[in-house]
Amino acid sequence: MTSPPLAVEMRGITKVFPGVIANENVDLEVRAGEIHALLGENGAGKSTLMNILAGLYRQDAGEIRLHGQLAQLHSPSDAIRLGVGMVHQHFKLVDSQTVAENVILGLKRPAFRLDMKRTAREIEELGARYKLAVDPGAYIWQLGVGEQQRVEILKTLYRNADILILDEPTAVLTPQESEELGQTLRRMIQEPATRGHAGNKAVIFITHKLDEVVRFSDRVTVLRGGKVEATIDTAGSSKADLARLMVGRTVVFQVEKPPFQPHVTPEQRQEVLFAVKDLHALNDKGLPALNGVSLEVHAGEILGIAGVAGNGQRELAQSITGLRKVNKGQVLVRCGGIQGKLKEVTNHTPHQIIDDGLSYVPANRLGTGLAGNLPISANLILKDYRKEPLSHGPFLDRTSIGRFAERLIGAFQITTPSAERPVRLLSGGNLQKVILAREITAGKAMLVAVNPTRGLDVGATESVQRTLLEQRAQGAGVLLVSEDLDELLAICDRIAVMYEGRVMGVMPAQDANRDELGLMMAGEHIQPEA
Amino acid sequence: MPLTLERRMEPSRTANLLVPILSIVLALAAGGVLLWLAGVNPIETYRAMLHGAFGSAYAISETLVRATPLMLTGLAVSVAFRMLFWNIGAEGQLAMGAFAASGVALFLPKLMPGISAWLLLPLMLVGGFLGGALWALIPAMLKAFLSVNEIITTLMLNYVAILWIQYLYYGPWKDPLGFGFPGTAPFVDAAWLPRLKDTAWLPQLFNTGRLHWGLALAIVAAIVVWLILDRTRWGYEIKIIGENSRAARYAGISIVRNILLVMILSGGLAGLAGFVQVAGISHRLQQGIAVGDGYTAIIIAWLARLNPFGVLVVALLMAALFVGGDQIQISMGLPAAVAGVLQGAILFCVLGGNFFTLYRVRWTSRRAVAQTEVTG
Ligand SMILES: Nc1ncnc2c1ncn2[C@@H]1O[C@H](COP(=O)(O)OP(=O)(O)OP(=O)(O)O)[C@@H](O)[C@H]1O
Ligand SMILES: [Mg+2]
């Protein structure tokens, strides 16, 4: 059997940013009718390579062939014209517009008269064909991340993409949603390419989840430090093989969770560090999001919150940190660490709650957690700039700030040539590290973290989990919201499941199993709330 | 359409350097054609403009005098813009600053006869600052507490402020000895900002002209603004809010408080421009105080990319354009309209040029366009 024709051929691609070689002499071949995974550590150059293929960046050297034809990609519209569609790591949708409006955004065809009815119908047909149901009339802000992603994919399908690029598409999805996405992609590559090209459609997807690589992809290309490490067939390679190629060393997938906390006495472990009682709050649309949530986080404990995204986890985190109005109920925080006193902070300002020592890793990094155009250093001091030695009275101390930033960049291995670069130029995983470095530096006794390892490579995930466990050993209390059950099972002491704004039950992690948790996440009461 | 516009994904460094230079060259060329059509020698006219703006100590002094209020309003607008607060109201804040400073200058000496300049001028300065600041506080509060769009409120309040000072100098404050001239009585001598030529200890660079100490005030203001933005916690907060207000809230930065504080600073700086105009130039409140500097300030702030020292430089160039333009009316006998059109052409090219640092124009062949087919 002859191998199928090549959909994409990138040869000797080099891309240099000031101070960084993002891609160095990269060769990538993607066959028509295959799902090709792109793997690599944070900052390895995956997004950059794909942005070149999507016409967003121009390579400094090298050539690109699409279906055998040399392609000059000067802009995204060139790439779209040639059938390349990309769904970016950070979605590019207009919140205040409908799904249909977003799908046709930037298209030239409807010159003056927009036939929205027809567009809506076409979107529905496409959705039905690929099992990507969304309501074309819904506004983007009303949709969850999973649905938003479907819109992004529909957008590329509507433009008749033959080559679909997905940059970390499953980072924000629940396991079920990821599975469905996998099916959709499988369906896509069975469709013949359009524009008279030979062979079927092709998919390239970037991910840090090795399970998915093994399950969905036909072949994998691994990048390391901007260079191609290897391209291999997925069949016959294991997660461990892939991880070794990526990192260049053997990776432990399970971090060790020490059963006891050496620095915390049993009495201290009884201490509640922060808690919520009968919490009620509304979501952005003004609908009830929290319907009486009560939880306690003890010293030296990681309390996990499991649940399908959109069941109130985000609102819970925001209510605790003062970013969302609490309508009923209480938020309690122990100020000044273990020795301090538990006091009510319901509806206090975020500033007061930060001063009380509660850190917060939000879900939306560029949206909430960072100021994209400001330097990395300015972003690292976001929570601490009011304190000595970073500022003295009203004045900032630039020397201390520089030193502080360098220290965190080193400690969290943030890949960047300098602390003064705009933070938005960092790779997705390094953005996440900036937030983590800021929020879980030593001395922070209470932490609320939403999906802290999202978008991190295996090595970084491991080190974040280890850091959380270290904090726990020092007596910190952590509320960890995650959609990744494996992560919760690996590092939590107790796991609470949220469903429709309520806690369905709390159980010790060692007694929990995936099936039971899954049932509770779907709304079944297993065990009454303790 | 074979020409397409594309947003630059990576800001081009060559474009950043080349575009301003090219646009000035283009502006001069376009203006040259206009002048040529008007029947005058472009080269000579440009020479006359340059000479008019910088050709003599007197000309330089006039240019600096013209630049001073532009610097202050430019700074005013740029601090507010840093926080993405669209203060279009520097014109009105300038008028209210002039009003308050004039009020102090006219009435305080009546209460305290023989008051010294060392007391009166600082009080006028504070008055001017407060006049602008309080006026700016109105739209700031409307925005902070009721989310009323500041572009509209600041703009509308300009008309109120300008009509208010007109009412004063045509009505209750009008100089009874002024032969019907619209303006207040002249200030007492102690309320005059000293001129540089009268300042004995200065080397006599400026032994002529109206240049007054307001220029020093503008330079100090630029340094203070830079210090605030670059070196203080407050400036850091302003930048965070301007970049991402959600992140600011998340970091515990009060947006309400900062809107109020920044507008006090912004309005106050514009008010200082009003103060220097009445105390340094007109020595009374009269027609011709609010001549659009608050609007020119917006252009200045953008061209300077909101950098305080950039504001000083751009304001100076803008003033040169104004003063030089006025001069060619006299020296070349050109109608005022030609000078105005020339100024317009130059501004148009420079502002338009800015666009090309962000976008690039590309020629797409017909064939490629024909291939652009999208189907549902
Ligand atoms: N526009 C840019 N300007 C300057 N440097 C950039 C730019 N985009 C990316 N880089 C740098 O290039 C390198 C590769 O980044 P890239 O985003 O391709 O990584 P990645 O493999 O996608 O990582 P991640 O898994 O974290 O998303 C990083 O060091 C990043 O800082
Ligand atoms: Mg990436």
Side-chain angles (χ1 to χ4, degrees):
Chain A
M1 205 182 85
T2 58
S3 64
L6 290 180
V8 178
E9 234 183 307
M10 297 179 92
R11 289 254 169 271
I13 301 289
T14 296
K15 176 76 192 173
V16 182
F17 291 116
V20 187
I21 304 177
N23 291 142
E24 191 177 348
N25 201 14
V26 171
D27 293 335
L28 176 72
E29 283 183 359
V30 179
R31 296 176 188 150
E34 79 167 343
I35 297 182
H36 196 107
L38 197 55
L39 209 59
E41 288 181 288
N42 294 128
K46 307 178 294 293
S47 299
T48 304
L49 187 67
M50 289 301 105
N51 283 332
I52 291 172
L53 186 55
L56 224 59
Y57 294 151
R58 181 93 175 121
Q59 71 269 28
D60 297 321
E63 58 177 40
I64 301 172
R65 282 169 195 277
L66 298 174
H67 302 283
Q69 300 267 316
L70 200 61
Q72 294 295 338
L73 304 173
H74 293 281
S75 73
S77 54
D78 287 348
I80 290 169
R81 188 183 318 127
L82 296 172
V84 180
M86 177 156 174
V87 178
H88 292 273
Q89 197 163 1
H90 306 103
F91 296 161
K92 300 185 187 297
L93 296 171
V94 184
D95 264 1
S96 56
Q97 293 198 332
T98 65
V99 169
E101 284 165 344
N102 266 282
V103 168
I104 58 164
L105 196 72
L107 285 183
K108 291 221 177 84
R109 194 186 45 171
F112 290 103
R113 215 172 52 83
L114 284 174
D115 187 350
M116 290 311 287
K117 278 225 190 69
R118 198 177 117 206
T119 315
R121 209 176 46 242
E122 286 166 349
I123 293 172
E124 270 170 356
E125 280 166 17
L126 262 186
R129 194 156 108 220
Y130 290 101
K131 296 220 165 59
L132 289 166
V134 278
D135 170 11
Y139 286 91
I140 297 299
W141 59 264
Q142 296 176 317
L143 305 181
V145 269
E147 289 167 304
Q148 291 193 8
Q149 179 171 65
R150 273 180 242 155
V151 179
E152 285 276 19
I153 298 176
L154 280 172
K155 214 166 123 182
T156 62
L157 291 174
Y158 192 82
R159 286 158 175 69
N160 237 345
D162 289 330
I163 298 156
L164 177 63
I165 306 167
L166 297 152
D167 194 348
E168 296 192 33
T170 54
V172 293
L173 300 186
T174 61
Q176 293 89 324
E177 283 173 324
S178 305
E179 192 59 43
E180 281 163 25
L181 177 67
Q183 305 298 335
T184 304
L185 299 183
R186 281 270 148 227
R187 253 187 306 277
M188 272 193 73
I189 56 163
Q190 265 133 43
E191 304 241 331
T194 53
R195 295 177 181 77
H197 296 313
N200 287 353
K201 292 182 190 280
V203 172
I204 307 175
F205 88 110
I206 302 177
T207 184
H208 291 295
K209 300 183 185 168
L210 300 175
D211 291 315
E212 287 170 358
V213 175
V214 172
R215 228 164 15 179
F216 300 140
S217 72
D218 300 302
R219 293 196 306 152
V220 201
T221 294
V222 181
L223 288 181
R224 189 156 97 214
K227 293 189 217 152
V228 174
E229 189 66 22
T231 297
I232 53 174
D233 286 331
T234 313
S237 46
S238 69
K239 272 171 68 177
D241 298 338
L242 294 173
R244 198 169 336 103
L245 280 175
M246 238 171 91
V247 194
R249 64 177 165 89
T250 311
V251 178
V252 245
F253 285 100
Q254 277 288 13
V255 285
E256 291 273 317
K257 178 174 66 177
F260 64 94
Q261 295 74 37
H263 305 289
V264 185
T265 64
E267 301 85 69
Q268 283 175 335
R269 246 181 78 66
Q270 297 306 310
E271 300 277 11
V272 175
L273 273 188
F274 61 106
V276 293
K277 287 209 174 87
D278 189 32
L279 208 61
H280 287 76
L282 302 179
N283 65 13
D284 290 340
K285 297 172 209 166
L287 303 172
L290 297 178
N291 303 308
V293 173
S294 300
L295 288 168
E296 289 182 338
V297 179
H298 299 93
E301 166 180 74
I302 300 181
L303 172 63
I305 305 280
V308 177
N311 276 289
Q313 300 94 314
R314 200 169 78 96
E315 288 81 4
L316 174 65
Q318 291 173 337
S319 304
I320 297 177
T321 50
L323 289 163
R324 182 170 294 274
K325 188 166 169 283
V326 173
N327 292 332
K328 185 166 165 250
Q330 289 182 306
V331 181
L332 300 162
V333 160
R334 190 175 297 277
C335 312
I338 287 185
Q339 292 83 23
K341 269 187 26 204
L342 207 58
K343 77 163 187 195
E344 179 167 356
V345 297
T346 320
N347 287 330
H348 282 196
T349 63
H351 186 174
Q352 290 168 316
I353 293 175
I354 292 167
D355 280 350
D356 289 336
L358 189 81
S359 310
Y360 175 36
V361 177
N364 187 350
R365 24 175 117 121
L366 275 177
T368 308
L370 298 167
N373 287 324
L374 296 186
I376 298 168
S377 60
N379 277 283
L380 282 171
I381 63 167
L382 194 59
K383 289 292 182 68
D384 292 307
Y385 72 94
R386 299 180 183 94
K387 297 191 195 119
E388 292 277 345
L390 299 183
S391 62
H392 314 293
F395 293 102
L396 295 172
D397 180 335
R398 292 161 51 104
T399 329
S400 311
I401 290 174
R403 231 180 285 130
F404 179 81
E406 290 303 334
R407 185 162 60 75
L408 294 190
I409 287 172
F412 281 77
Q413 289 162 5
I414 299 168
T415 347
T416 173
S418 121
E420 294 312 308
R421 295 183 108 206
V423 75
R424 81 188 139 79
L425 298 182
L426 290 180
S427 77
N430 281 301
L431 287 178
Q432 183 70 2
K433 288 188 197 170
V434 170
I435 297 185
L436 288 166
R438 181 178 72 209
E439 301 297 326
I440 48 183
T441 41
K444 307 265 167 91
M446 297 172 279
L447 173 68
V448 174
V450 182
N451 291 326
T453 58
R454 168 184 296 173
L456 294 186
D457 62 44
V458 278
T461 300
E462 184 193 296
S463 88
V464 167
Q465 293 178 347
R466 194 166 286 139
T467 313
L468 289 177
L469 287 171
E470 272 162 25
Q471 298 290 97
R472 163 182 177 261
Q474 306 288 332
V478 180
L479 184 75
L480 174 65
V481 177
S482 175
E483 278 132 42
D484 184 346
L485 277 185
D486 294 320
E487 171 166 277
L488 291 175
L489 288 166
I491 67 169
C492 292
D493 296 284
R494 293 184 302 146
I495 299 177
V497 179
M498 278 187 77
Y499 178 75
E500 294 195 337
R502 285 195 184 80
V503 174
M504 303 306 289
V506 188
M507 55 175 79
Q510 69 263 29
D511 304 341
N513 66 53
R514 297 182 58 101
D515 295 339
E516 249 175 36
L517 288 173
L519 281 174
M520 284 163 77
M521 282 162 70
E524 284 194 35
H525 263 287
I526 298 290
Q527 165 196 324
E529 208 174 304
Chain B
M1 196 180 57
L3 275 184
T4 49
L5 271 185
E6 285 164 5
R7 211 185 151 81
R8 289 180 193 273
M9 289 303 158
E10 309 157 70
S12 153
R13 254 190 282 177
T14 5
N16 265 342
L17 274 178
L18 218 59
V19 164
I21 297 172
L22 279 181
S23 43
I24 287 173
V25 171
L26 194 71
L28 294 178
V33 172
L34 277 174
L35 291 168
W36 179 70
L37 286 175
V40 288
N41 181 339
I43 310 256
E44 227 169 89
T45 313
Y46 285 137
R47 270 228 342 251
M49 263 180 96
L50 200 64
H51 192 262
F54 297 114
S56 61
Y58 181 80
I60 293 175
S61 131
E62 276 306 291
T63 302
L64 288 171
V65 162
R66 190 71 195 81
T68 303
L70 291 173
M71 290 171 175
L72 286 164
T73 50
L75 289 170
V77 168
S78 58
V79 266
F81 283 10
R82 263 298 169 100
M83 212 179 81
L84 305 190
F85 189 100
W86 306 115
N87 180 13
I88 314 295
E91 187 77 2
Q93 291 142 21
L94 178 152
M96 291 313 264
F99 149 68
S102 301
V104 174
L106 291 171
F107 298 106
L108 200 60
K110 294 200 175 129
L111 298 174
M112 304 167 62
I115 180 174
S116 97
W118 289 105
L119 186 58
L120 186 55
L121 277 172
L123 286 175
M124 285 168 68
L125 184 146
V126 171
F129 187 93
L130 287 179
L134 292 176
W135 196 242
L137 212 49
I138 301 171
M141 290 203 282
L142 287 171
K143 167 87 172 191
F145 299 116
L146 300 171
S147 305
V148 180
N149 184 321
E150 74 274 19
I151 301 184
I152 308 210
T153 49
T154 50
L155 183 64
M156 298 313 259
L157 283 172
N158 285 347
Y159 300 107
V160 180
I162 291 167
L163 289 171
W164 166 245
I165 61 168
Q166 274 180 9
Y167 162 73
L168 287 176
Y169 60 68
Y170 274 107
W173 283 13
K174 189 163 154 184
D175 182 7
L177 307 173
F179 305 104
F181 176 78
T184 63
F187 300 162
V188 297
D189 288 351
W192 290 34
L193 259 182
R195 297 201 162 149
L196 259 52
K197 68 171 181 196
D198 300 332
T199 310
W201 51 267
L202 268 188
Q204 288 302 300
L205 283 176
F206 290 101
N207 48 15
T208 170
R210 301 188 290 167
L211 186 60
H212 53 79
W213 279 95
L215 178 66
L217 181 65
I219 294 170
V220 170
I223 295 171
V224 170
V225 167
W226 173 78
L227 275 176
I228 289 175
L229 286 177
D230 213 59
R231 295 291 150 105
T232 67
R233 276 165 47 170
W234 184 27
Y236 175 78
E237 292 184 356
I238 294 173
K239 282 189 275 190
I240 297 276
I241 295 175
E243 281 300 327
N244 183 350
S245 61
R246 245 192 303 170
R249 226 170 79 73
Y250 156 80
I253 296 169
S254 163
I255 295 180
V256 166
R257 195 176 130 239
N258 274 293
I259 288 179
L260 301 180
L261 287 176
V262 165
M263 279 307 279
I264 287 175
L265 179 62
S266 173
L269 286 165
L272 287 183
F275 156 73
V276 298
Q277 288 307 80
V278 293
I281 300 297
S282 64
H283 305 133
R284 64 174 86 203
L285 189 65
Q286 63 171 25
Q287 192 74 34
I289 299 291
V291 290
D293 290 0
Y295 299 111
T296 309
I298 298 168
I299 303 176
I300 294 175
W302 273 131
L303 288 179
R305 305 244 155 105
L306 309 186
N307 177 305
F309 300 123
V311 166
L312 296 186
V313 174
V314 176
L316 184 66
L317 294 177
M318 201 67 90
L321 191 60
F322 288 155
V323 173
D326 291 345
Q327 280 304 306
I328 55 172
Q329 293 174 34
I330 302 162
S331 61
M332 309 277 299
L334 286 173
V338 171
V341 168
L342 193 60
Q343 288 162 359
I346 293 177
L347 280 183
F348 181 83
C349 289
V350 174
L351 285 174
N354 239 353
F355 178 82
F356 293 100
T357 50
L358 296 177
Y359 292 86
R360 73 183 152 204
V361 181
R362 204 158 55 83
W363 186 266
T364 38
S365 73
R366 292 241 160 244
R367 203 171 44 79
V369 175
Q371 276 179 7
T372 316
E373 49 156 53
V374 271
T375 31

